[in-house]
Amino acid sequence: MTLLAGCTVPGAGTADKPIRIQRVWPEPPNQPRYVHEIALRSLSDIKPESEQDRLQRQLTGRSPVPSDPVFKKPAAIAARKGRVYVADPPTSAVVVFDIPRRSIYRMAVREPNHVQKPISLAIDGRDRVYVLDGQARKVLVFDALGLFQFAVGDPRVLTQPSGLAVSPDGSRIYVVDRGSLAEDDHRVIAYSPDGRELFRLGPRGGGPGQFNIPLAASVAPDGTLLVLDSGNFRVQSFDADGRYRSSFGGVGTELGHFARPRSLAVDLDGNIFVGDASFNNVQIFNHEGQLLMSIGRPELADGPGQFALLAGLATDETGRLYVTDTYHGKIEVYRRANSGDLQ
């Protein structure tokens, strides 16, 4: 997959305080690992201007390729084979950037399978898209183009679902339930595709296999379930049958710790990505929980790697990292660096 447009940096500083633009992470003299590739907001980001489009823009002052943002508050994200799926709760839709076809469409918007409040997304090995509806308190499953397949989850059981993950083969669908403030219903429930409940993890607490406001989950290529245990400032890992394995993290202000962890992803190499809405960065750990590096920094002015309210994370089969920022209303895409990349 090749992304098609360069990033723009609106409002990136003033005459008194210019904003330092960083596109390679980490900075030299360290070896580059990730390169900022693009910020996605509109069709114009993935559809290059043709000669005819350019002429029309010169004659009319307006390009025929829309540049208006296609979402209001991008939240959760998932990506596979050049399609980038973005949950947009205010519009009750999943917005899809179909980069190979240079088009944008919306899915999960048709009755009777209209998602009311999409808050988490996942994709299995058959490219099926799983959408957690926070209002209906269930998971709706669609094919890659948006055709409804089936639904799982019981709104009578789930209290306040917040996250979603699926095993590569689709046999395990994990729903993270952050629970209520005064109760111990902080848990993860595993479902089969036919809707059967397989097991539960939890309840509330600080011990191994317990949670305090769990928010997100992801499944590694080997089937390991990773759960972002936000209130305990850690990531816990379990095998496919729910047996506790290990955890890492802790509260703090230094790298390797968390302050307001909100999102989680894992890549095909088993590296673990944690987005923190206080640090406004993405910390990258290996499968053993050892810190490798971080991407991003807090900044109210928009620019590459500059975040004000970091939300969702995703990776895809190419090794790209996708980051949503609801304050700046953008999706940033990072590709893995190669030997020719310079600052």
Side-chain angles (χ1 to χ4, degrees):
M1 176 182 70
T2 300
L3 294 174
L4 300 169
C7 64
T8 59
V9 188
T14 66
D16 297 329
K17 184 185 177 183
I19 299 299
R20 178 174 61 90
I21 302 302
Q22 181 179 348
R23 288 186 169 85
V24 176
W25 302 81
E27 290 185 291
N30 299 297
Q31 181 180 350
R33 298 296 182 183
Y34 285 89
V35 177
H36 180 275
E37 191 169 23
I38 193 174
L40 297 175
R41 289 183 173 92
S42 69
L43 182 60
S44 62
D45 294 318
I46 62 172
K47 187 174 183 180
E49 188 178 56
S50 67
E51 185 63 27
Q52 183 176 354
D53 294 337
R54 184 184 65 81
L55 178 60
Q56 182 172 336
R57 175 173 52 81
Q58 291 175 338
L59 293 175
T60 66
R62 183 175 179 83
S63 173
V65 181
S67 59
D68 297 330
V70 294
F71 40 61
K72 290 186 177 181
K73 289 186 177 181
I77 189 167
R80 184 71 57 85
K81 295 181 180 177
R83 294 190 182 96
V84 183
Y85 302 86
V86 185
D88 190 28
T91 63
S92 301
V94 176
V95 179
V96 186
F97 289 79
D98 191 333
I99 295 171
R101 293 176 174 80
R102 302 180 184 182
S103 65
I104 294 175
Y105 60 91
R106 293 174 178 267
M107 59 177 280
V109 295
R110 295 182 178 179
E111 297 295 351
N113 304 303
H114 182 193
V115 175
Q116 300 300 315
K117 188 180 180 182
I119 58 173
S120 187
L121 303 173
I123 301 177
D124 68 14
R126 295 170 58 183
D127 300 335
R128 293 180 298 195
V129 181
Y130 295 69
V131 183
L132 175 59
D133 188 330
Q135 183 170 315
R137 301 199 301 279
K138 63 181 180 179
V139 178
L140 284 76
V141 185
F142 303 84
D143 69 12
L145 296 177
L147 181 64
F148 177 76
Q149 304 294 297
F150 59 90
V152 299
D154 188 344
R156 298 168 299 180
V157 172
L158 296 169
T159 303
Q160 194 173 350
S162 59
L164 170 68
V166 62
S167 62
D169 63 3
S171 65
R172 298 282 194 277
I173 303 166
Y174 303 99
V175 179
V176 180
D177 193 343
R178 64 180 297 169
S180 50
L181 290 176
E183 303 297 331
D184 65 353
D185 52 351
H186 297 213
R187 57 200 173 180
V188 176
I189 302 179
Y191 294 95
S192 64
D194 61 7
R196 291 181 297 111
E197 183 177 318
L198 301 176
F199 57 83
R200 297 186 184 189
L201 304 176
R204 192 174 197 173
Q210 297 179 328
F211 306 110
N212 183 26
I213 314 178
L215 293 182
S218 190
V219 179
D222 65 357
T224 297
L225 171 66
L226 301 162
V227 181
L228 181 60
D229 186 8
S230 180
N232 286 321
F233 304 96
R234 64 185 179 182
V235 175
Q236 297 196 68
S237 67
F238 304 84
D239 69 16
D241 294 319
R243 289 184 288 265
Y244 173 82
R245 283 184 170 175
S246 63
S247 68
F248 68 88
V251 62
T253 59
E254 302 295 327
L255 288 177
H257 297 82
F258 307 123
R260 193 182 171 196
R262 285 295 178 268
S263 48
L264 178 71
V266 61
D267 67 14
L268 292 180
D269 294 325
N271 296 316
I272 302 164
F273 302 75
V274 181
D276 195 298
S278 181
F279 300 154
N280 274 305
N281 68 4
V282 180
Q283 296 187 69
I284 307 174
F285 302 84
N286 66 16
H287 69 279
E288 295 179 343
Q290 298 168 328
L291 179 68
L292 302 177
M293 61 172 290
S294 67
I295 295 175
R297 62 177 182 269
E299 181 59 67
L300 290 179
D302 188 18
Q306 296 171 182
F307 303 112
L309 190 55
L310 191 149
L313 297 180
T315 62
D316 70 6
E317 76 282 359
T318 71
R320 282 179 168 86
L321 169 67
Y322 301 80
V323 185
T324 66
D325 185 318
T326 56
Y327 180 89
H328 290 309
K330 66 180 178 180
I331 302 158
E332 289 205 348
V333 184
Y334 296 83
R335 63 171 173 81
R336 291 186 176 179
N338 56 54
S339 59
D341 289 314
L342 299 174
Q343 177 72 2

